[in-house]
Amino acid sequence: MVSVFVPSHITGFFQVVDHNNPLKKGSRGAGIVINRGVTTTVKSSNKTKIDGLEIIAKKVIEVMKRYYNIGNIKVKHEIDVPIGCGLGVSGACALGTAIGIAKELKLPITLNQAADFAHLAEVELKTGLGDVIAELSGGLVIRTREGAPSYGKIDKIIVPSLYVIIKVLDKINTPAILKDKLYLEKINKIGEKMLKKILIQPSLKNFLNLSSNFSKKISIVTPEIKDIMDIMNEETIGSSVAMLGKTIFGISETPETSLDDVIIAKIDFTGARIL
Ligand SMILES: Nc1ncnc2c1ncn2[C@@H]1O[C@H](COP(=O)(O)OP(=O)(O)OP(=O)(O)O)[C@@H](O)[C@H]1O
Ligand SMILES: CC(C)(CO)[C@@H](O)C(=O)[O-]
């Protein structure tokens, strides 16, 4: 039996980059990895059983079965953050499942190659585009080249150990957004500009400012979200909206906040790891 912890990932801004090869399809952008996420346990079994994000685990098993004899697998996800709210849970479940299967079956592949299967599952389900490569890596991640971990490229912004305060209001259906070509044109134009700017000035404050500008320019900031961002901006280094969710995140030197019903996490610098 193998257990894998995969931290959640909050995208601040992004740009979708298409490609005929789904391993080379993905997103560029920037986001923060946090120390709350998904612990996935995988065990060979006489019957496949999934206890957790079934749609994701089933897709990962289907994808890996195209290349290896996976047999029957028991998968259990222990999910420590809300699903569908911009915290990269689908990516974390996919990555934990893929790494867990690879390790449990002792497949002759690297961690990156196992993670490639998770990326494939995300892209085929339209549940994510850049979370897997970020969640594998940890930290404050700039995705400079799209794709699965064996194809994409990331840079990191060096930051100290800080708190991430998260206020979840509601879900957003990621696949619906990723199918909306008109909206994606707007997102990509703005996301591309933000990426150029963060590469000129790769700092935490600039990440937060660019993320906040991005969220306003793609019209995702409702009056309710703005009110919470205003409070967070008073109390933290800065805040923005988690893509894609009705979720506000603020990065802070302390866990103190006047907001109620929040998730308090810390930046995770390690990334996905076998427990
Ligand atoms: N409470 C739930 N229980 C089981 N499945 C859910 C639940 N909420 C959403 N789902 C499904 O799980 C998948 C979640 O994918 P989605 O990418 O929207 O979530 P996420 O990864 O947490 O958010 P994001 O991708 O925006 O960071 C979707 O297929 C969705 O239909
Ligand atoms: C598309 C996305 C914003 C959905 O969470 C994320 O997967 C990303 O940053 O690629």
Side-chain angles (χ1 to χ4, degrees):
M1 181 170 82
V2 175
S3 286
V4 185
F5 173 72
V6 180
S8 293
H9 171 246
I10 300 172
T11 292
F13 57 84
F14 70 104
Q15 170 198 4
V16 177
V17 183
D18 221 335
H19 199 284
N20 292 334
N21 177 350
L23 286 166
K24 293 182 177 177
K25 175 176 178 172
S27 64
R28 298 174 191 163
I32 189 92
V33 179
I34 65 171
N35 68 347
R36 303 271 294 263
V38 181
T39 299
T40 297
T41 307
V42 173
K43 191 175 180 329
S44 279
S45 172
N46 56 7
K47 187 169 174 295
T48 291
K49 183 175 181 302
I50 294 158
D51 174 9
L53 212 45
E54 190 165 5
I55 184 171
I56 303 294
K58 271 187 173 167
K59 175 55 89 171
V60 172
I61 292 168
E62 177 209 312
V63 166
M64 295 181 83
K65 277 188 171 176
R66 298 173 196 168
Y67 302 87
Y68 296 101
N69 175 12
I70 301 295
N72 286 303
I73 290 279
K74 261 192 190 153
V75 178
K76 179 175 174 27
H77 296 136
E78 290 163 81
I79 303 171
D80 184 24
V81 288
I83 307 169
C85 302
L87 300 178
V89 171
S90 57
C93 288
L95 186 51
T97 303
I99 294 173
I101 290 172
K103 290 297 175 194
E104 173 71 358
L105 301 183
K106 299 182 175 53
L107 297 182
I109 56 177
T110 64
L111 205 57
N112 267 11
Q113 288 169 324
D116 291 346
F117 291 116
H119 178 86
L120 264 181
E122 281 260 272
V123 167
E124 291 186 16
L125 288 173
K126 293 192 181 334
T127 47
L129 290 167
D131 295 305
V132 167
I133 194 169
E135 290 168 349
L136 190 63
S137 137
L140 178 44
V141 180
I142 305 177
R143 283 166 278 135
T144 53
R145 187 172 67 218
E146 65 287 351
S150 298
Y151 297 83
K153 190 176 175 306
I154 62 163
D155 280 342
K156 285 197 191 183
I157 297 175
I158 306 301
V159 290
S161 174
L162 294 167
Y163 292 91
V164 183
I165 299 170
I166 301 160
K167 175 78 177 173
V168 177
L169 297 177
D170 205 350
K171 297 176 193 283
I172 287 182
N173 184 300
T174 300
I177 301 280
L178 297 186
K179 288 172 190 163
D180 184 337
K181 293 201 180 319
L182 219 53
Y183 193 27
L184 284 185
E185 270 175 35
K186 179 175 183 177
I187 285 175
N188 291 343
K189 215 176 281 171
I190 299 160
E192 187 179 15
K193 285 189 185 130
M194 299 306 170
L195 182 65
K196 284 187 179 127
K197 289 182 177 178
I198 195 74
L199 291 173
I200 292 165
Q201 191 192 342
S203 72
L204 171 63
K205 190 64 187 162
N206 201 25
F207 163 69
L208 289 164
N209 290 339
L210 293 171
S211 298
S212 174
N213 293 338
F214 177 78
S215 62
K216 289 167 188 158
K217 288 179 187 298
I218 67 165
S219 321
I220 207 165
V221 177
T222 64
E224 185 184 18
I225 288 176
K226 185 178 179 315
D227 288 347
I228 293 167
M229 285 175 75
D230 290 346
I231 294 169
M232 277 205 187
N233 288 337
E234 287 297 312
E235 300 177 342
T236 70
I237 299 167
S239 72
S240 190
V241 182
M243 298 295 148
L244 285 158
K246 286 192 179 159
T247 300
I248 304 95
F249 70 96
I251 298 180
S252 180
E253 286 165 350
T254 82
E256 312 304 319
T257 176
S258 60
L259 293 165
D260 57 9
D261 193 18
V262 294
I263 297 168
I264 306 283
K266 294 200 83 174
I267 299 174
D268 178 285
F269 295 96
T270 311
R273 48 206 180 261
I274 292 157
L275 299 177

